[in-house]
Amino acid sequence: MSSQHDLLGKRAFELLPSWEREFWAEEKENIPQYCFYPDLHLVEQWGSPEKLKFYEKYCLMPNGKCTPHGPTGADWMGAAFAGELSTEPFDYTLHYYCPLIIDLIKKGDRAESAAFAGTLAHFLQDCCLPVHSMNNIIINQLYPPANGKYFFYHRLFDSAPFDPESVDGEPELLGFDLTGLIYTLREKCFYIIEKNISVLPEFIHAVKSGDEEAVGSISQAINRQAITLTAACWHTLFMIATGKITAGMVKNSGKLDLTSLPLILSSDAKFDRQQFIDAGIPFYKTVYTENDPCRARLSVNPYPFEPAVNYAYDGSGNVIPLALQINGSRQQSDKGIAVGTYGIASFRVDGRIFSELEVYAGVHYCNDFDGEVTFAIWCYETTSPLMARKSVSRKQDALHFKIALPAECRTISLLSSGGNGKSSAIWFDPQLSYRQ
C-alpha cells in the first residue's frame, strides 16, 4: 500500500478551481483520507467486521470485486501479481464510479461525492506507479538481492519522497460528457502505465547506488502525473455534473494526435491476419500460430515485434526521423509510426467521440527498396471493416488518407504489407478529429 495517497489527494484538491473547492470545503480535511479507502478496506478484512462493512460501501463494486489497485487482468488479478492487462475491469470500474460521483454532485451530496471521488482517485494514482503495473515477481527476478542487501522495490517506489507543493497548473478537461471522460481516462492511464514501466530500471539503479537525487527526481515526475490526473478527473466530473461544458468548448476542441494514445497490446483472434489477406492486403500466412500469434501490434524487419512510435530506424538499427515525400518535397515529423516489411498498429478509437482519421502513409525515402508497399486502414466493428487500401513506392508522393469514422467504430488497425526487409513503412502525423 502506498503511504502517499493522502498527499496526492490533498494537492489535487488544491489545484481545483475555487468553485469546486468550495463545494467540497467541508470535506477538505477528509479528502486525503478518502484517497486511502481502498487500502484501508483491504486491511480491515483482518480487522473488525463493522469497519470492513463501512469500507465495502465505497470499495466493493456491484459485481463483488474490490476497487482495483491499478491495472488488472481480465480475471481482475492485479498486474503486480500476474496477468495480462485488460481494459474490461478498467472500464467497469470507471463506469461504476464516474456516473455515481456525477449523480452525487448533482444532488449536492458533498460528503459522499468526495468519499467516492477519493476512492476512485486511489485507483488512478496506483495506475501511475510502475510497481502496480507489472508483475513484481519478475522485478525481483531481474534485480535479486546483491551484496547482502534486499530491497523492497514496491514499497520503495510507493513511498519515495516528492514535493507535492511544487505541482501546479490548472486541471485539464478530460472529456465533454461521460463517454468522453471514461474513454480519455482509460487511454491516458494505459499510456502512462506503459511509459512509466520504462523508468523502473533507472529508479532501481538509483536506489541500489544510493543516488537520492535521482530517486527524488523520478518520484517527483511520477507523482506529478498522479496529482494532475486526479485533479483532471475530479474537475471533469464537476464540469459534467454542473452542466458547465458548452458547445463552444466542443467546437474548439481541435484534433488529437493518434500517437498520444497507447497501442493495443493483445494476442487475439480478432487480429487474425487471414481476414486482411482475404480483403486483398498481401499479408503473410502463419502456419504455427503459437510461435507467431495473431496480435494487435506487429512489425517484421527491421523492427522486432512491434511498431516504433514517433521515430523510425534504418536497416542497421539507427534511429532516424520519420520522413516522407509529400507533395513533391521531403518532410519530417516527430509524430508517426514506423513498421517493417509487415506491420500492424492498433488503437482503441471510439467513433462516438471522433469523426475522422487523417494520416499520410508511404515508404521512407532513405530506403533502397523501389517496390510498392500496400497500406490499409481497418475498423473491426463495422460491416465493411476495410476502410481504405492503396499502394505506393518510395519514389512517389505519400498517400493521403482522410477516413470518416462510423459511430460504431471502437478499434482501428493501421496495416502495411510489402518490402525487402530493410524498408520502413511510415504512418506520418496521424490526427483524429473530434465529433462536433
Side-chain angles (χ1 to χ4, degrees):
M1 292 177 288
S2 172
S3 61
Q4 308 196 86
H5 285 288
D6 54 344
L7 301 178
L8 300 173
K10 178 178 181 294
R11 188 55 183 164
F13 170 80
E14 293 168 349
L15 294 182
L16 294 176
S18 59
W19 66 273
E20 296 170 10
R21 283 185 277 115
E22 183 178 342
F23 181 87
W24 277 343
E26 295 178 2
E27 299 300 316
K28 178 181 178 180
E29 302 304 319
N30 298 324
I31 284 175
Q33 186 73 0
Y34 294 152
C35 292
F36 271 131
Y37 271 12
D39 282 345
L40 297 173
H41 173 224
L42 293 186
V43 170
E44 289 305 334
Q45 65 184 303
W46 302 293
S48 52
E50 64 273 14
K51 288 185 178 180
L52 179 62
K53 195 68 179 176
F54 171 80
Y55 289 117
E56 283 180 347
K57 176 182 179 181
Y58 301 100
C59 305
L60 203 60
M61 297 185 289
N63 63 352
K65 302 296 185 183
C66 297
T67 308
H69 295 256
T72 75
D75 56 3
W76 288 84
M77 185 181 294
F81 299 102
E84 184 176 283
L85 306 191
S86 172
T87 59
E88 294 174 9
F90 211 102
D91 284 349
Y92 184 94
T93 303
L94 295 179
H95 276 285
Y96 170 62
Y97 281 103
C98 289
L100 175 60
I101 297 166
I102 288 171
D103 187 54
L104 290 169
I105 293 174
K106 284 182 178 179
K107 292 177 178 177
D109 194 330
R110 290 162 168 77
E112 288 294 88
S113 63
F116 279 102
T119 304
L120 173 60
H122 184 108
F123 167 54
L124 300 176
Q125 292 161 8
D126 277 350
C127 287
C128 296
L129 295 169
V131 289
H132 285 263
S133 301
M134 68 173 292
N135 191 319
N136 280 215
I137 294 173
I138 293 177
I139 296 174
N140 292 336
Q141 290 172 337
L142 289 171
Y143 300 96
N147 301 319
K149 184 70 174 177
Y150 179 87
F151 293 95
F152 297 88
Y153 297 118
H154 190 110
R155 170 62 69 184
L156 287 168
F157 212 118
D158 266 359
S159 58
F162 75 103
D163 177 18
E165 298 303 317
S166 68
V167 179
D168 53 18
E170 296 182 2
E172 179 186 3
L173 186 64
L174 298 182
F176 307 118
D177 55 19
L178 181 61
T179 298
L181 169 61
I182 290 174
Y183 171 84
T184 304
L185 270 178
R186 181 192 65 203
E187 296 305 299
K188 274 187 172 291
C189 283
F190 270 72
Y191 189 89
I192 287 170
I193 287 163
E194 181 162 315
K195 296 299 180 184
N196 284 358
I197 286 174
S198 68
V199 309
L200 260 177
E202 183 182 354
F203 177 84
I204 291 173
H205 175 75
V207 167
K208 296 180 77 169
S209 63
D211 189 342
E212 295 182 2
E213 182 178 351
V215 168
S217 176
I218 295 168
S219 176
Q220 186 69 28
I222 296 295
N223 285 297
R224 173 181 289 277
Q225 288 179 328
I227 290 171
T228 57
L229 183 65
T230 299
C233 175
W234 288 350
H235 170 60
T236 308
L237 289 168
F238 268 109
M239 292 290 286
I240 294 171
T242 56
K244 293 185 181 294
I245 296 175
T246 66
M249 293 178 183
V250 180
K251 187 176 182 180
N252 295 326
S253 56
K255 295 187 177 184
L256 179 72
D257 167 29
L258 184 67
T259 67
S260 69
L261 301 176
L263 281 162
I264 297 174
L265 176 60
S266 175
S267 297
D268 195 310
K270 175 178 182 177
F271 304 99
D272 187 352
R273 294 189 286 276
Q274 187 59 48
Q275 65 189 320
F276 309 145
I277 296 169
D278 294 342
I281 304 165
F283 248 90
Y284 67 96
K285 294 183 178 181
T286 300
V287 177
Y288 305 108
T289 56
E290 66 273 18
N291 293 301
D292 187 10
C294 298
R295 55 201 190 271
R297 301 184 188 186
L298 182 149
S299 185
V300 180
N301 293 330
Y303 314 111
F305 294 106
E306 63 178 342
V309 178
N310 293 337
Y311 58 94
Y313 291 112
D314 64 17
S316 301
N318 301 305
V319 173
I320 58 176
L322 292 157
L324 286 179
Q325 178 176 302
I326 298 175
N327 298 325
S329 66
R330 294 182 174 182
Q331 298 186 27
Q332 294 185 0
S333 176
D334 58 358
K335 302 297 181 184
I337 301 156
V339 295
T341 308
Y342 299 94
I344 303 174
S346 305
F347 298 87
R348 290 174 290 269
V349 175
D350 195 322
R352 296 170 296 178
I353 300 169
F354 303 106
S355 61
E356 183 181 77
L357 168 66
E358 182 175 8
V359 61
Y360 289 90
V363 182
H364 201 296
Y365 51 71
C366 76
N367 300 147
D368 60 2
F369 174 67
D370 291 333
E372 289 191 332
V373 172
T374 298
F375 292 86
I377 300 173
W378 194 276
C379 176
Y380 297 83
E381 294 78 21
T382 57
T383 304
S384 301
L386 180 59
M387 305 184 74
R389 182 190 64 214
K390 291 183 179 180
S391 299
V392 69
S393 73
R394 71 180 179 99
K395 294 184 177 181
Q396 298 172 300
D397 272 347
L399 304 170
H400 186 199
F401 295 108
K402 294 185 73 172
I403 306 299
L405 299 175
E408 64 268 24
C409 182
R410 297 292 181 275
T411 316
I412 63 168
S413 288
L414 307 180
L415 311 171
S416 59
S417 177
N420 64 351
K422 296 182 179 180
S423 56
S424 302
I426 306 293
W427 295 94
F428 190 90
D429 196 25
Q431 299 289 325
L432 293 166
S433 296
Y434 284 95
R435 193 173 293 280
Q436 300 298 316

